[in-house]
Amino acid sequence: MTLFVYAHLDERARALVRAGVPDAVFVDKTTAGPAEQARFAEAEMCFGNVPAPWLSGPLALRWLQLESVGFEYYRGIAMPGVQVTNLKGMFAEPTAETALAGLLALYRGIEELAGARLERRWIGLALRERMGLLAGRRALVCGLGSIGARIRALLLAFGCEVAAFARTAPDADLRTLAEVDAALGRFEIVVNALPSTPETANLFDAARLARFAPGAVFVNVGRGSAADEEALIAALESGALGGAVLDVFRQEPLPPDHPLWRMPRTIVTQHTGGGYDDELVDKTRFFLGNLARFRAGEPLLNPVDLARGY
Amino acid sequence: MTLFVYAHLDERARALVRAGVPDAVFVDKTTAGPAEQARFAEAEMCFGNVPAPWLSGPLALRWLQLESVGFEYYRGIAMPGVQVTNLKGMFAEPTAETALAGLLALYRGIEELAGARLERRWIGLALRERMGLLAGRRALVCGLGSIGARIRALLLAFGCEVAAFARTAPDADLRTLAEVDAALGRFEIVVNALPSTPETANLFDAARLARFAPGAVFVNVGRGSAADEEALIAALESGALGGAVLDVFRQEPLPPDHPLWRMPRTIVTQHTGGGYDDELVDKTRFFLGNLARFRAGEPLLNPVDLARGY
């Protein structure tokens, strides 16, 4: 069986793959074209998120290991007989840490201190009176996948009062958007950790942002499509929103002339939420664990329904 | 009885004091001289940290409410019959949040992202591979006062393995410097939250810093006097230390030409650790609570031994 590797890997991670699959076919995503697509069509196993169009037409594929959690760009693609697995859970810890890093940076003045450091300017005493505490804040976490659940646990550890919105999770406090809308005005922090689905597209539109408590902070570690960015910009500029921590955007990389680069009280983490030094090795280890299961005919970890898109 | 107010207060806090003590004497610390010292000598109650020399000579003083936790600059001053109270515990939450904000900023690239934001430069994919996780780190917290204890609890919530050094706290893991020295090489994070005492002066000298694990991160939210700053600079410049979060310094404000302004991988939080928007009101509320106890002849909260200095 041929393994086609389309994942973003570094040399350490590629060496791990080679140790497990000496004849693996590695492809450079940035230059892949019709020749690579033809080789993919002959491979029984694939590690990495190939372009959606490659998934139509006759394929030898039996197992696709995605290198991400989200895969909304494959929505509606049905591949009978092909097992698909994702990396659910692998990004929970780093993404939750980035969400908390951003929130604490806002409350504890870290960006302003970074700027003052470059200018060697002591602003300590003046800054103290403008600082806030995360402790005791009322927070809403939208989404109780592994990321949302981890963010909720960390906010609770900081002494926040946390409510969660999720349609099906048994431990959610709010289950419908009507319940969210009725409660939104109570929260000082609103975190989006929902997947990208037709239901979450534009969830944070102008009308919903207008229901936020004055000065509330919005954190988006879900998908950029969940927020109306123009409405977000207006709310940040007017001061209606007290701040934002934005990891995801409708267009990534964020274009240089995009207004979200220069919003006040906004931490832009550039979709680094899931990242960490051993990320590529760890995702390769997950793939190799699933490979052993695949070869042994055992059930794979993290099976997903590609057509559903999340 | 006269109340002499020497504390740093804002208008809201002063109004609270006046509501409780209409004839309170407020003094501007920045211009106080011999006339103010003479009025202090006649006051039975004082709120604020007057200059140490004012405490010698005949005084009417019966109660001194400090506006800080530390008071090492009064060490050796004995005032028989004068009750002295501090603000122990009030800065635990903000200082612990600043310590965590700094650590997460280091691991999650927040300073680098702040710089990139100013230049509207998307560095996300490249940065991911240089990021780290706080989760799972082995950390040593030195000092188990309210600040150290809170930092330990938060590090545990992030999944760190935490050991604590304290001479007397019943839940300390290490009780002597010999034990610390033997264990230092195991820790990826070392937090100083010790008070300033003769024993903690220069605790983190060149020899002890040399025992740190390669790439360890040093956090100082205790006192600047605990660290040999020249040794710290050398360790940061050489890369022996993986980073630092520094809230306190030997000289504050840090002079503009001080090398600690321009160390790599170093978050300088400018002694804002204890600060937050309601800080001055909260410390005034604490004072007023103790004032009610003082007037009723009840035991005061947070009594300290001024002569001991911590």
Side-chain angles (χ1 to χ4, degrees):
Chain A
M1 283 197 293
T2 305
L3 169 67
F4 186 86
V5 182
Y6 193 83
H8 173 63
L9 302 180
D10 59 10
E11 205 33 66
R12 283 189 305 159
R14 271 192 291 269
L16 281 176
V17 173
R18 271 190 216 104
V21 189
D23 60 348
V25 175
F26 290 87
V27 158
D28 180 350
K29 311 168 67 134
T30 58
T31 58
E36 285 76 15
Q37 183 177 357
R39 296 194 76 173
F40 168 70
E42 294 163 6
E44 288 85 5
M45 305 181 290
C46 175
F47 177 25
N49 299 16
V50 293
W54 291 19
L55 296 182
S56 49
L59 296 176
L61 197 63
R62 291 175 51 200
W63 168 41
L64 171 60
Q65 171 64 58
L66 301 174
E67 58 168 327
S68 63
V69 176
F71 50 92
E72 63 274 12
Y73 32 89
Y74 296 138
R75 182 170 293 118
I77 296 180
M79 294 193 296
V82 179
Q83 299 192 72
V84 182
T85 51
N86 74 351
L87 293 180
K88 177 178 165 60
M90 222 197 75
F91 304 111
E93 195 65 50
T95 306
E97 287 195 7
T98 285
L100 269 290
L103 279 170
L104 286 169
L106 279 180
Y107 291 126
R108 307 308 293 157
I110 298 295
E111 266 217 10
E112 193 164 345
L113 287 162
R117 185 168 82 90
L118 294 178
E119 300 168 6
R120 305 178 191 192
R121 201 160 38 84
W122 188 270
I123 57 169
L125 198 60
L127 181 61
R128 281 177 81 116
E129 301 173 15
R130 293 199 306 279
M131 294 169 77
L133 287 178
L134 177 55
R137 302 271 174 192
R138 291 180 303 279
L140 173 66
V141 175
C142 298
L144 279 181
S146 55
I147 293 174
R150 187 64 185 135
I151 291 173
R152 176 174 63 175
L154 289 173
L155 289 173
L156 286 170
F158 275 91
C160 294
E161 188 188 305
V162 188
F165 162 58
R167 286 181 307 172
T168 56
D171 53 344
D173 307 286
L174 307 172
R175 304 204 158 273
T176 67
L177 282 178
E179 287 175 2
V180 168
D181 283 344
L184 260 181
R186 300 202 283 118
F187 299 108
E188 301 167 274
I189 297 169
V190 178
V191 179
N192 176 50
L194 287 162
S196 175
T197 70
E199 289 77 32
T200 62
N202 238 26
L203 191 73
F204 296 95
D205 59 7
R208 194 154 282 122
L209 286 170
R211 290 177 177 271
F212 277 35
V217 170
F218 178 60
V219 179
N220 193 359
V221 291
R223 285 293 193 209
S225 56
D228 176 338
E229 291 183 344
E230 283 188 32
L232 198 55
I233 288 162
L236 284 164
E237 281 184 331
S238 74
L241 272 186
V245 179
L246 303 176
D247 195 47
V248 288
F249 303 88
R250 285 181 179 265
Q251 190 183 346
E252 297 180 8
L254 199 59
D257 59 348
H258 200 291
L260 279 176
W261 282 117
R262 46 179 174 72
M263 288 297 108
R265 308 171 309 283
T266 298
I267 309 286
V268 174
T269 54
Q270 303 198 20
H271 211 140
T272 58
Y276 59 104
D277 42 8
D278 286 330
E279 171 192 4
L280 305 182
V281 166
D282 280 357
K283 75 185 184 188
T284 299
R285 290 206 178 105
F286 184 87
F287 160 73
L288 292 171
N290 252 351
L291 175 66
R293 289 163 173 267
F294 182 74
R295 286 171 165 168
E298 295 170 3
L300 302 183
L301 297 178
N302 287 0
V304 297
D305 179 354
L306 201 70
R308 200 169 93 151
Y310 69 95
Chain B
M1 282 198 296
T2 305
L3 169 65
F4 186 85
V5 181
Y6 193 82
H8 173 62
L9 301 179
D10 60 10
E11 204 34 64
R12 284 188 306 158
R14 272 192 291 270
L16 281 176
V17 173
R18 273 190 214 100
V21 189
D23 60 349
V25 175
F26 290 88
V27 158
D28 180 349
K29 318 170 58 139
T30 58
T31 59
E36 286 75 14
Q37 183 177 355
R39 294 195 77 174
F40 168 72
E42 294 162 3
E44 288 86 3
M45 304 181 291
C46 175
F47 177 23
N49 299 16
V50 294
W54 291 18
L55 296 181
S56 49
L59 297 175
L61 195 65
R62 290 176 51 200
W63 169 40
L64 170 62
Q65 171 64 60
L66 301 174
E67 58 166 328
S68 63
V69 176
F71 50 91
E72 64 274 13
Y73 31 88
Y74 297 139
R75 181 169 294 119
I77 297 180
M79 296 192 294
V82 180
Q83 298 191 72
V84 181
T85 52
N86 75 351
L87 293 179
K88 178 180 165 59
M90 223 196 75
F91 305 111
E93 195 65 49
T95 305
E97 288 194 6
T98 285
L100 269 291
L103 279 170
L104 287 168
L106 278 180
Y107 290 125
R108 307 308 294 157
I110 298 295
E111 265 216 12
E112 194 163 346
L113 288 163
R117 186 168 81 87
L118 293 178
E119 299 167 8
R120 304 178 193 193
R121 198 160 40 84
W122 188 272
I123 57 168
L125 198 62
L127 181 60
R128 281 176 81 117
E129 301 173 18
R130 292 200 307 279
M131 295 171 75
L133 288 178
L134 177 55
R137 302 271 175 192
R138 292 180 302 278
L140 173 67
V141 175
C142 299
L144 279 180
S146 54
I147 293 174
R150 186 64 184 136
I151 291 173
R152 177 173 62 177
L154 289 173
L155 289 173
L156 287 170
F158 275 90
C160 294
E161 186 188 305
V162 189
F165 162 58
R167 287 181 307 171
T168 56
D171 53 345
D173 306 285
L174 307 173
R175 305 205 156 271
T176 66
L177 282 178
E179 288 174 2
V180 168
D181 283 343
L184 260 180
R186 297 202 285 120
F187 300 108
E188 301 168 273
I189 297 169
V190 178
V191 179
N192 177 49
L194 287 162
S196 174
T197 69
E199 289 76 34
T200 63
N202 238 25
L203 191 71
F204 296 96
D205 58 9
R208 195 155 281 121
L209 287 169
R211 290 177 176 272
F212 279 34
V217 171
F218 178 61
V219 179
N220 193 358
V221 291
R223 286 292 194 208
S225 57
D228 176 335
E229 292 182 343
E230 283 188 32
L232 198 55
I233 288 163
L236 284 164
E237 281 184 332
S238 74
L241 271 185
V245 179
L246 303 176
D247 195 47
V248 288
F249 303 88
R250 287 183 178 262
Q251 188 182 347
E252 295 179 11
L254 200 59
D257 59 348
H258 200 291
L260 280 176
W261 282 117
R262 45 179 175 69
M263 288 298 108
R265 308 171 311 282
T266 299
I267 310 286
V268 174
T269 55
Q270 302 198 18
H271 212 143
T272 59
Y276 60 103
D277 42 8
D278 286 331
E279 171 191 2
L280 305 182
V281 166
D282 280 358
K283 75 183 181 186
T284 300
R285 289 206 179 105
F286 183 89
F287 160 72
L288 292 170
N290 252 351
L291 175 66
R293 288 164 174 267
F294 183 73
R295 284 169 166 168
E298 294 171 3
L300 301 183
L301 298 178
N302 286 1
V304 296
D305 178 353
L306 202 69
R308 202 169 90 150
Y310 68 98

Short mmCIF file of all heavy atoms in Angstrom, two decimals, chain B residues 28 64 91 97 112 159 196 212 269:
data_model
loop_
_atom_site.label_atom_id
_atom_site.label_comp_id
_atom_site.label_asym_id
_atom_site.label_seq_id
_atom_site.Cartn_x
_atom_site.Cartn_y
_atom_site.Cartn_z
N ASP B 28 0.48 65.17 50.43
CA ASP B 28 1.04 64.82 49.12
C ASP B 28 2.45 64.27 49.34
O ASP B 28 3.36 65.00 49.74
CB ASP B 28 1.07 66.08 48.24
CG ASP B 28 1.64 65.79 46.86
OD1 ASP B 28 2.19 64.67 46.65
OD2 ASP B 28 1.54 66.67 45.99
N LEU B 64 -0.46 52.02 62.65
CA LEU B 64 0.05 52.33 61.32
C LEU B 64 -0.46 51.28 60.35
O LEU B 64 -0.10 50.10 60.48
CB LEU B 64 1.58 52.34 61.35
CG LEU B 64 2.32 52.42 60.00
CD1 LEU B 64 1.98 53.72 59.26
CD2 LEU B 64 3.83 52.32 60.21
N PHE B 91 -2.50 41.64 47.05
CA PHE B 91 -1.85 41.66 45.74
C PHE B 91 -1.64 40.26 45.17
O PHE B 91 -1.02 40.11 44.11
CB PHE B 91 -0.52 42.41 45.84
CG PHE B 91 -0.67 43.79 46.38
CD1 PHE B 91 -0.19 44.14 47.63
CD2 PHE B 91 -1.34 44.76 45.65
CE1 PHE B 91 -0.35 45.43 48.14
CE2 PHE B 91 -1.51 46.05 46.15
CZ PHE B 91 -1.02 46.38 47.40
N GLU B 97 -1.59 36.78 38.41
CA GLU B 97 -2.03 36.92 37.01
C GLU B 97 -0.93 37.51 36.15
O GLU B 97 -0.74 37.10 35.00
CB GLU B 97 -3.30 37.77 36.93
CG GLU B 97 -4.53 37.04 37.44
CD GLU B 97 -5.84 37.71 37.05
OE1 GLU B 97 -5.82 38.70 36.28
OE2 GLU B 97 -6.90 37.26 37.52
N GLU B 112 6.23 38.99 20.42
CA GLU B 112 6.60 38.96 19.00
C GLU B 112 5.37 39.28 18.13
O GLU B 112 5.47 40.00 17.14
CB GLU B 112 7.16 37.58 18.65
CG GLU B 112 7.86 37.54 17.32
CD GLU B 112 8.77 36.31 17.17
OE1 GLU B 112 9.06 35.63 18.17
OE2 GLU B 112 9.17 36.04 16.02
N GLY B 159 -1.53 22.35 34.30
CA GLY B 159 -0.94 21.03 34.10
C GLY B 159 0.55 21.00 34.35
O GLY B 159 1.22 20.07 33.89
N SER B 196 11.56 40.38 50.72
CA SER B 196 12.93 40.86 50.82
C SER B 196 13.39 40.74 52.26
O SER B 196 12.86 41.39 53.15
CB SER B 196 12.99 42.32 50.36
OG SER B 196 14.28 42.83 50.58
N PHE B 212 20.60 26.39 37.18
CA PHE B 212 19.33 26.25 36.47
C PHE B 212 19.50 25.30 35.28
O PHE B 212 20.57 25.20 34.69
CB PHE B 212 18.88 27.61 35.91
CG PHE B 212 18.18 28.51 36.90
CD1 PHE B 212 18.54 28.53 38.24
CD2 PHE B 212 17.15 29.35 36.49
CE1 PHE B 212 17.90 29.37 39.15
CE2 PHE B 212 16.51 30.19 37.38
CZ PHE B 212 16.88 30.21 38.72
N THR B 269 7.59 43.70 33.31
CA THR B 269 6.25 44.16 33.69
C THR B 269 6.25 45.36 34.64
O THR B 269 5.19 45.78 35.10
CB THR B 269 5.40 43.01 34.26
OG1 THR B 269 6.10 42.41 35.35
CG2 THR B 269 5.14 41.94 33.20
#
